[in-house]
Amino acid sequence: GHRVTLLEAQLLFGIRNLTSELTRLRQSGYKIESRSVPMVRVLRRLNETAQCYPPTNLPIKKLKCTEWWIVR
């Protein structure tokens, strides 16, 4: 499936607590996988549908975000 991070869940879908949604999906029988990715990748993907500009002094290439997806 498509991957989603906490930042994308909040900005694009209005999900306040992604952890509880992932827990709910797991309890419903879905298999959820995750991995760590650079924040620059997340921002690039996010900027395809919205405008998100981090502060200029934020090291987005070094920061990591976790992305989750549903395994089919």
Side-chain angles (χ1 to χ4, degrees):
H2 295 282
R3 292 157 171 24
V4 66
T5 63
L6 176 61
L7 185 61
E8 293 167 313
Q10 290 176 335
L11 293 176
L12 297 177
F13 306 113
I15 295 174
R16 293 180 63 192
N17 189 347
L18 181 59
T19 304
S20 66
E21 293 300 321
L22 292 171
T23 300
R24 185 182 60 77
L25 287 169
R26 283 186 179 111
Q27 289 173 347
S28 296
Y30 291 95
K31 180 161 171 45
I32 307 291
E33 291 193 0
S34 66
R35 72 174 180 178
S36 184
V37 295
M39 184 181 238
V40 68
R41 180 183 295 176
V42 175
L43 290 172
R44 191 175 304 128
R45 187 169 62 208
L46 183 59
N47 280 326
E48 291 175 3
T49 53
Q51 291 183 351
C52 183
Y53 300 104
T56 55
N57 60 347
L58 190 68
I60 60 173
K61 291 181 182 177
K62 294 180 183 178
L63 292 176
K64 298 287 186 177
C65 295
T66 302
E67 63 181 12
W68 293 270
W69 66 94
I70 297 174
V71 179
R72 294 184 185 249

